[in-house]
Each structure stands twice: as structure tokens, then as C-alpha cells.
Amino acid sequence: RRYLLEDTDMKYLKYDLYEKASAPGGKIYEAQWNDQLTQYYAEFNSFAYRLPKRFVKEMNEHDMHDCTVKNILIERKKWKKYDVEIHLTDYSDDNIEHMIKLINVNVFKSDLDFRMSGISDWIYCELLAIDDKRMSLEVILFDESSIYCEFSKLQYKKFQVNN
């Protein structure tokens, strides 16, 4: 298997543990994975006051798991300042869309490979505080592709679309 972005590694949700827990016979790793999830959400909720309440609720309930990445827009705001807007189709209803807008992005890395099927399925993510001003979001997609961003603010909307 190819490794995700070489210089990033999630703090809690390690991909190799996810692979083991998801593989046939992986039940023995589920307890470890669930322990890592518990630790991650404890940290996530410790800085959740910096995030939109509706986003925190969505993350705590579903973590965007199995949503489909519809598009990613990278918009330059000024010199070395970008916003990244990610649109996701809901995991259970194609008529619901999630918009996650990362403001003041100074790092954006991805190893997306569009030759694979299922590339756009959001498997899991880790959103962490870097310090009192910046946060990071790392996303693992279906075929081991990933997205990593560092930013200062997050905006979120969940809305109905007409397909």
C-alpha cells in the first residue's frame, strides 16, 4: 500500500490501526480503534468552542463518515492567504450538502489520485488545535488519499439541494 502524505500523521486515528480494524478478522483491533476515537473526541471537544456549534454537533454524531466530496474550491484572498471550501454530499441523503470553509489557510496538502474508484468517499478525519489561533484538518479518503490543511477559522453550513 502507498502511504498517505509522508510528512503528516494523525495524532490519534492512525491509518494502520484503521486498516487492521477494517480487515477481515479485525474485530480484535476494534477496541483499540474505539479507544483512539474516545481520546480524539476528548481533545476535539476541548477546543470545540472555537468552531460553529452545528459543525461540532455533526462531527460528534457522524464525523462526516461516508460523505462524498463533491468539490474543493481553493480561493486566493491575498498574498499567501487562501480559503478552502469543501462541499460534501451527505452520507445518507443525496439532497443534503455540507459546506466546510477553512479561512486563512496557509498549508494545503493532498495526494488525491483520480484514477481510483471511491476516491471521494470521506472515511474519517482529525481536526485539532495547533495553538490558540490555528487548527489543522486531516482527512482520509477511501483509496488512502488524504487532505491536510492548516487554518485559523472554520465556517460550516448544512443545506438542502435540489438534484
Side-chain angles (χ1 to χ4, degrees):
R1 100 180 153 84
R2 72 185 172 88
Y3 190 70
L4 308 163
L5 294 172
E6 294 296 328
D7 56 345
T8 61
D9 188 21
M10 290 190 179
K11 181 175 179 179
Y12 297 102
L13 307 177
K14 304 294 185 182
Y15 188 78
D16 58 342
L17 183 57
Y18 169 77
E19 262 188 333
K20 289 175 185 175
S22 300
K27 284 252 184 235
I28 60 172
Y29 296 101
E30 281 184 19
Q32 272 183 281
W33 178 256
N34 290 334
D35 182 51
Q36 293 298 304
L37 276 173
T38 300
Q39 290 178 45
Y40 164 65
Y41 275 105
E43 183 165 338
F44 172 78
N45 286 311
S46 74
F47 70 92
Y49 66 90
R50 294 168 55 182
L51 301 165
K53 288 179 181 160
R54 196 162 180 201
F55 177 78
V56 172
K57 181 178 186 250
E58 193 70 39
M59 287 294 290
N60 280 313
E61 290 177 1
H62 305 292
D63 193 30
M64 305 299 172
H65 181 69
D66 283 343
C67 285
T68 303
V69 177
K70 182 176 178 181
N71 62 51
I72 301 171
L73 172 67
I74 302 171
E75 182 180 5
R76 181 177 176 194
K77 291 301 193 178
K78 56 184 173 180
W79 179 250
K80 296 184 180 182
K81 302 292 180 192
Y82 290 82
D83 291 349
V84 173
E85 195 170 296
I86 304 170
H87 286 256
L88 305 169
T89 302
D90 193 73
Y91 56 91
S92 64
D93 185 343
D94 287 344
N95 293 314
I96 296 176
E97 194 169 300
H98 305 264
M99 185 278 300
I100 301 169
K101 186 172 187 175
L102 309 175
I103 309 293
N104 194 17
V105 174
N106 66 343
V107 175
F108 178 88
K109 300 176 187 178
S110 180
D111 59 357
L112 293 174
D113 183 343
F114 296 110
R115 296 172 293 178
M116 304 297 285
S117 62
I119 179 82
S120 58
D121 295 343
W122 185 294
I123 302 300
Y124 64 92
C125 68
E126 232 180 50
L127 196 154
L128 298 171
I130 295 172
D131 56 34
D132 62 342
K133 292 184 170 83
R134 312 248 343 126
M135 294 173 273
S136 67
L137 172 67
E138 188 166 3
V139 180
I140 303 301
L141 300 171
F142 178 74
D143 77 334
E144 300 178 4
S145 289
S146 60
I147 299 168
Y148 177 84
C149 296
E150 293 179 7
F151 58 97
S152 48
K153 185 177 177 183
L154 183 145
Q155 295 175 347
Y156 173 74
K157 290 181 190 173
K158 182 176 181 179
F159 52 93
Q160 189 83 27
V161 292
N162 296 323
N163 289 329

